């Protein structure tokens, strides 16, 4: 289908984008990569009167280090996240996740901020941002605010973001012992189920046995929005950092979740089974990153 008519404006700065958004009076939409918004417009599920293009605002792109924090600009495309030497070195789970999104065309146009604002229930970044405990930076007419990933994802295509606000960046502390594992939907490569696990490991005193001090496990694809697997996180605390122990802790992963998706890609029962399997894969992937 052909979208309904709209005006197009290219923003030159964050302030310019916010001014243009305010001027559109609630019927304007930001566009970054257009890989989620344009399909919605073609289906007439979204009919903005003005598109404000933020893809070329230099302050919104790039990956930098600010002390012990890594900051990824919201308009950074998935390809740049996937190939970032800084992320590969300091927080490889984020680069891995970006590299598993879609295909090369999607990765060269789609952006981190677009993915978070759109909040597709099968998007990859949300699980990983929950696992690394990221903060979402937001700017609006009233100034800037920071929202923890755990509070940002609220429901189906619903996040803590007003229609006159813009995501500027995502910030997180580096996490080495972390991995993302997903069951791909074969055509789009969206996640049927995706699990991101981040572990904090302590060196034990007895025979230098390592144990899991704490864990954060994010899940996407399974319910209306990305959530933490609290039961698995609790079961991992204090356990030996071994493949057997994490597999045991992941038994029954997601069993307490209601509203598991049941669609043409996978039944509820299949997704339930896959949550456990991909939890174990993500946890074992994380253990493989413990430096010897
Ligand atoms: P756009 O389409 O430009 O915008 C999407 C929404 O976000 C709009 O509402 C827009 O107003 C808003 N927005 C954009 N930027 C901002 C900002 N900075 N602040 C506030 N609001 C903003 N995703 C996955 O996670 N995994 C996959 O495997 C995957 N496969 C895909 C396969 C195909 C064929 C396609 C077309 C898409 C796929 N995607 C996948 C989605 C892809 O990652 C999108 O690029 C992403 O979800 C949206 O990013 P975008 O920059 O294209 O956003």
């Amino acid at each position: 289908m052909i979208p309904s008519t709209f005006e197009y404006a290219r923003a030159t700065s964050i302030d310019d984008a916010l001014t243009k958004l305010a001027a559109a009076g609630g019927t304007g939409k930001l566009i970054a990569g257009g890989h989620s918004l344009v399909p919605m417009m073609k289906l007439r599920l979204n009919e903005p009167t003005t598109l404000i293009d933020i893809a070329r605002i230099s302050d919104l792109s790039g990956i930098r280090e600010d002390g012990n924090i890594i900051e990824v600009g919201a308009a950074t495309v998935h390809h740049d996240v996937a190939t970032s030497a800084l992320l590969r070195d300091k927080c490889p789970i984020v680069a891995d996740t970006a590299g598993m999104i879609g295909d090369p065309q999607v990765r060269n146009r789609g952006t981190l901020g677009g993915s978070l604002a759109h909040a597709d229930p099968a998007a990859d970044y949300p699980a990983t941002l929950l696992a690394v405990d990221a903060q979402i930076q937001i700017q609006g007419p009233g100034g800037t605010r920071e929202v923890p990933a755990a509070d940002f994802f609220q429901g189906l295509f619903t996040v803590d973001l007003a229609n006159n606000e813009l995501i500027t960046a995502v910030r997180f502390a580096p996490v080495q012992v972390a991995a993302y594992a997903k069951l791909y939907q074969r055509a789009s490569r969206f996640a049927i189920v995706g699990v991101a696990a981040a572990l904090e490991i302590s060196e034990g005193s007895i025979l230098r046995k390592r144990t899991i001090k704490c864990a954060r496990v994010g899940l996407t694809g399974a319910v209306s929005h990305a959530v933490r697997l609290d039961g698995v996180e609790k079961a991992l605390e204090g356990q030996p950092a071994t493949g057997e122990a994490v597999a045991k802790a992941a038994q029954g992963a997601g069993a307490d979740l209601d509203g598991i998706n049941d669609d043409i890609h996978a039944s509820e029962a299949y997704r339930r089974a896959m949550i456990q399997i991909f939890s174990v894969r993500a946890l074992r992937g994380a253990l493989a990153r413990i430096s010897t």
Side-chain angles (χ1 to χ4, degrees):
M1 253 168 79
I2 297 170
S4 47
T5 50
F6 56 87
E7 299 293 321
Y8 171 87
R10 179 171 288 159
T12 53
S13 66
I14 295 171
D15 286 343
D16 185 36
L18 290 172
T19 303
K20 286 183 162 68
L21 203 50
T27 59
K29 268 269 170 204
L30 301 172
I31 183 163
H35 270 58
S36 294
L37 181 58
V38 172
M40 301 278 278
M41 288 170 65
K42 285 181 157 185
L43 292 168
R44 306 248 174 146
L45 292 171
N46 215 319
E47 297 183 82
T49 55
T50 310
L51 283 186
I52 299 137
D53 190 342
I54 56 170
R56 298 194 193 173
I57 299 175
S58 56
D59 284 351
L60 283 181
S61 283
I63 302 157
R64 45 207 164 251
E65 229 176 340
D66 176 10
N68 189 36
I69 295 293
I70 296 173
E71 181 175 293
V72 183
T76 309
V77 296
H78 309 323
H79 170 82
D80 289 352
V81 175
T83 55
S84 157
L86 175 66
L87 287 171
R88 290 248 153 253
D89 181 36
K90 301 224 162 150
C91 199
I93 182 176
V94 176
D96 290 348
T97 303
M100 292 159 87
I101 294 175
D103 52 38
Q105 280 166 300
V106 173
R107 292 196 292 276
N108 277 285
R109 294 292 301 185
T111 66
L112 172 60
S115 175
L116 300 183
H118 183 64
D120 192 295
D124 295 293
Y125 277 129
T128 291
L129 296 192
L130 287 173
V132 301
D133 203 15
Q135 301 286 323
I136 321 293
Q137 311 284 311
I138 294 168
Q139 196 166 324
T144 58
R145 63 191 183 100
E146 190 172 79
V147 182
D151 298 332
F152 185 74
F153 304 105
Q154 297 182 336
L156 189 66
F157 298 108
T158 307
V159 291
D160 180 2
L161 183 73
N163 63 6
N164 59 358
E165 290 183 315
L166 180 150
I167 301 171
T168 54
V170 172
R171 289 165 63 85
F172 44 87
V175 184
Q176 272 298 339
V177 183
Y180 179 61
K182 84 164 165 174
L183 174 63
Y184 288 88
Q185 198 276 318
R186 291 287 173 110
S188 70
R189 293 170 66 83
F190 270 106
I192 290 175
V193 162
V195 180
L199 303 175
E200 205 175 312
I201 304 293
S202 22
E203 293 286 341
S205 51
I206 307 160
L207 298 173
R208 291 179 50 78
K209 286 246 170 73
R210 294 183 170 109
T211 54
I212 297 167
K213 208 159 127 194
C214 70
R216 285 185 303 271
V217 183
L219 169 71
T220 190
V223 287
S224 62
H225 62 290
V227 292
R228 295 255 301 259
L229 289 174
D230 306 335
V232 177
E233 294 178 358
K234 284 199 188 75
L236 285 163
E237 268 172 43
Q239 294 302 313
T242 63
E244 297 73 34
V246 298
K248 197 165 167 220
Q251 270 172 17
D256 54 341
L257 286 176
D258 292 326
I260 299 271
N261 299 330
D262 185 315
D263 55 31
I264 54 165
H265 305 305
S267 66
E268 175 183 342
Y270 186 64
R271 273 199 174 84
R272 280 201 185 277
M274 292 303 109
I275 294 172
Q276 182 171 333
I277 287 175
F278 282 82
S279 294
V280 175
R281 288 189 190 179
L283 288 163
R284 287 195 167 149
L287 291 180
R289 285 203 156 122
I290 297 177
S291 53
T292 45

